């Protein structure tokens, strides 16, 4: 006989509600459910009965052992309507074929050619920061991430479009963010049409421009255009997928890292001292990335505390069993990277910022640290992102003294996990830089 998946009773629900009000975000309630009910539990709402899972065994189950029986694609979800046949919402051989087409542009061997551009894009944005008033690093990191992605993967200078398409990009992200559509699948997504049309018009325009141009095809857009089986519609789907997923995850990681450094000035000083020692006043080179050891520890701790992709959602394609619990076909299965990264069985003082836990000889237990997912469908842009964030932070810390302006920041569950309402910092240029 199968075990019944536990659900919160009224007392647990009250404690979860109190935690959510105290902390200001729904993830606090999820932490209460996890602490009270264990690594698998069900949240029941009218028309919405997902199974939540956390911990290494659950993550391995979703990402590896039951991978073939869990679908990424859920036809009613806004992310499928938006990305259509993009890499992230395809299953099986269709996904694998798309991944083979995209992978060369994001391969480690391409990274050295991207670093100069990453450095320049960061400098372009940061040169406009005023010394007399704070800037919102959530906004500024998004600007940097967009310029970097578009220049390196699509060979497009996005500067002229940054302001014009800014609102459209934010609305596109909102379109796929969690909302009432998760509970009532038929609820219409009203007010997004103009933004989505703007994004499509821009993407089709750069596709058509590239088709008429002669040049190398080692960037992502070029590789897709030279693939004979790729229609303009299918290329659009991949471009929008990488544009949204690629820049939004980097935006979240960079802004959370700057927030944590601002909250912990001693970590900021240690990271800056390392950058000064390794770089002096010179731009970063690929060979120096591995020398920024402490900065890497800070980034890993930011990823642990606030993973940009903090959960994964699948649909059970068949009846499943996990540790004696029955999961019927058609059930939405959600595995929580956020809860796994704060699991007290694997992370001492899990809610504390402690970069030292990621010492060079430390190896997390398998499937306890999943900032880029795991298994065969781990994040295709992981190598790109890991270099990008080090380049951006090295450039900023080399050139600016940063001070966090007092405000209450909480995690917001959008397409990624963002610091809201933002990360206000005074950025004063360092003397001699």
């Amino acid at each position: 006989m199968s075990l019944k998946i536990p659900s919160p009773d009224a007392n647990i629900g009250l404690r979860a509600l109190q935690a959510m009000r105290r902390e200001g975000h729904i993830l606090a309630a999820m932490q209460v459910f996890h602490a009270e009910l264990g690594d698998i539990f069900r949240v029941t709402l009218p028309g919405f009965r997902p199974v939540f899972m956390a911990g290494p065994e659950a993550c391995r189950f979703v990402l590896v052992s039951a991978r073939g029986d869990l679908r990424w694609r859920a036809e009613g979800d806004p992310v499928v309507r938006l990305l259509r046949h993009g890499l992230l919402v395809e299953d099986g051989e269709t996904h694998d074929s798309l991944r083979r087409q995209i992978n060369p542009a994001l391969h480690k061997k391409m990274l050295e050619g991207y670093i100069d551009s990453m450095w320049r894009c960061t400098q372009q944005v940061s040169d406009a920061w005023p010394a007399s008033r704070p800037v919102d690093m959530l906004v500024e990191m998004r600007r940097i991430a967009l310029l970097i992605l578009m220049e390196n993967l699509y060979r497009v200078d996005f500067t002229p479009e940054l302001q014009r398409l800014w609102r459209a990009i934010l609305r596109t992200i909102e379109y796929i963010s969690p909302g009432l559509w998760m509970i009532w699948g038929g609820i219409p997504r009203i007010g997004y049409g103009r933004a989505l049309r703007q994004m499509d018009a821009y993407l089709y325009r750069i596709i058509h421009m590239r088709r008429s141009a002669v040049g190398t095809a080692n960037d992502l857009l070029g590789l897709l255009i030279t693939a004979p089986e790729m229609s303009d519609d299918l290329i659009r789907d991949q471009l929008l997928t990488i544009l949204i997923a690629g820049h939004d995850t980097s935006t979240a990681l960079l802004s959370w890292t700057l927030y944590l450094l601002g909250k912990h000035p001693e970590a900021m000083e240690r990271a800056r001292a390392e950058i000064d020692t390794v770089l002096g006043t010179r731009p970063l080179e690929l060979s120096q990335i591995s020398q920024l050891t402490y900065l890497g520890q800070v980034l890993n701790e930011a990823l642990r505390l606030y993973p940009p992709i903090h959960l994964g959602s699948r649909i059970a394609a068949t009846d499943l069993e996990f540790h004696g619990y029955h999961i019927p076909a058609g059930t939405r299965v959600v595995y929580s990277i956020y809860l796994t990264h704060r699991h007290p069985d694997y992370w001492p003082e899990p809610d504390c910022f402690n970069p030292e836990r990621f010492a060079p000889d430390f190896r997390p237990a398998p499937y306890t640290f999943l900032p880029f997912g795991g298994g065969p469908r781990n994040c295709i842009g992981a190598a790109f992102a890991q270099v990008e964030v080090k380049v951006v932070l090295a450039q900023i810390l080399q050139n600016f003294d940063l001070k966090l302006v007092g405000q209450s920041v909480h995690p917001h569950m959008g397409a990624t996990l963002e610091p809201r309402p933002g990360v206000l910092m005074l950025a004063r240029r360092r003397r001699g830089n």
Side-chain angles (χ1 to χ4, degrees), residues 105-382:
L106 293 163
H107 196 274
K108 289 181 180 179
K109 67 182 181 182
M110 297 293 294
L111 296 177
E112 186 169 9
Y114 297 152
I115 288 181
D116 285 348
S117 168
M118 292 173 175
W119 192 269
R120 283 188 290 98
C121 291
T122 307
Q123 186 171 25
Q124 175 184 330
V125 173
S126 63
D127 277 350
W129 292 348
S132 58
R133 55 184 173 82
V135 293
D136 185 350
M137 290 300 177
L138 178 59
V139 172
E140 301 304 304
M141 295 306 105
R142 189 178 303 282
R143 288 182 174 137
I144 291 170
L146 282 166
L147 292 176
I148 287 174
L149 186 145
M150 297 300 292
E151 182 168 315
N152 287 287
L153 298 185
Y154 302 170
R155 292 289 186 265
V156 171
D157 179 6
F158 198 61
T159 306
E161 307 291 347
L162 195 56
Q163 189 62 37
R164 185 180 73 85
L165 290 176
W166 184 261
R167 179 62 179 163
I169 291 169
L170 294 182
R171 291 292 285 165
T172 303
I173 293 168
E174 290 172 10
Y175 181 79
I176 60 174
S177 297
L180 291 177
W181 62 265
M182 297 184 71
I183 303 173
W184 298 292
I187 192 168
R189 305 289 282 157
I190 298 171
Y192 296 94
R194 182 172 182 270
L196 302 186
R197 288 192 297 271
Q198 279 185 287
M199 294 301 298
D200 276 352
Y202 174 73
L203 292 172
Y204 282 117
R205 178 158 62 87
I206 65 173
I207 292 168
H208 296 159
M209 289 172 60
R210 180 62 71 86
R211 283 203 185 278
S212 64
V214 177
T216 58
N218 62 346
D219 64 289
L220 176 57
L221 177 53
L223 288 170
L224 294 176
I225 282 176
T226 56
E229 68 275 22
M230 284 281 182
S231 67
D232 286 0
D233 287 342
L234 193 53
I235 293 172
R236 171 268 184 204
D237 298 347
Q238 312 321 312
L239 295 187
L240 187 57
T241 297
I242 299 299
L243 171 59
I244 297 302
H247 101 271
D248 201 37
T249 49
S250 294
T251 297
L253 173 55
L254 287 164
S255 52
W256 275 120
T257 302
L258 288 170
Y259 169 74
L260 289 167
L261 288 174
K263 291 282 286 186
H264 302 274
E266 71 287 351
M268 176 103 70
E269 288 306 313
R270 184 172 170 183
R272 175 182 287 118
E274 178 181 73
I275 290 164
D276 289 347
T277 299
V278 172
L279 303 185
T281 58
R282 300 180 304 278
L284 182 66
E285 298 177 0
L286 183 62
S287 61
Q288 297 169 315
I289 292 282
S290 61
Q291 298 176 46
L292 298 177
T293 307
Y294 183 70
L295 183 60
Q297 292 175 219
V298 170
L299 283 163
N300 278 335
E301 183 68 341
L303 284 166
R304 186 189 69 81
L305 286 169
Y306 301 107
I309 303 301
H310 60 94
L311 58 79
S313 177
R314 307 283 192 275
I315 303 296
T318 186
D319 288 358
L320 298 172
E321 293 285 332
F322 174 74
H323 286 196
Y325 295 103
H326 177 64
I327 302 172
T331 301
R332 188 180 290 270
V333 178
V334 180
Y335 75 100
S336 175
I337 296 173
Y338 182 89
L339 294 177
T340 300
H341 283 190
R342 294 175 182 243
H343 202 305
D345 290 352
Y346 303 96
W347 300 100
E349 297 183 291
D351 295 327
C352 295
F353 175 72
N354 178 21
E356 284 73 16
R357 74 172 86 234
F358 285 96
D361 60 348
F362 172 70
R363 296 292 179 272
Y367 293 90
T368 61
F369 184 58
L370 298 161
F372 299 102
R377 283 190 65 156
N378 66 327
C379 175
I380 194 171

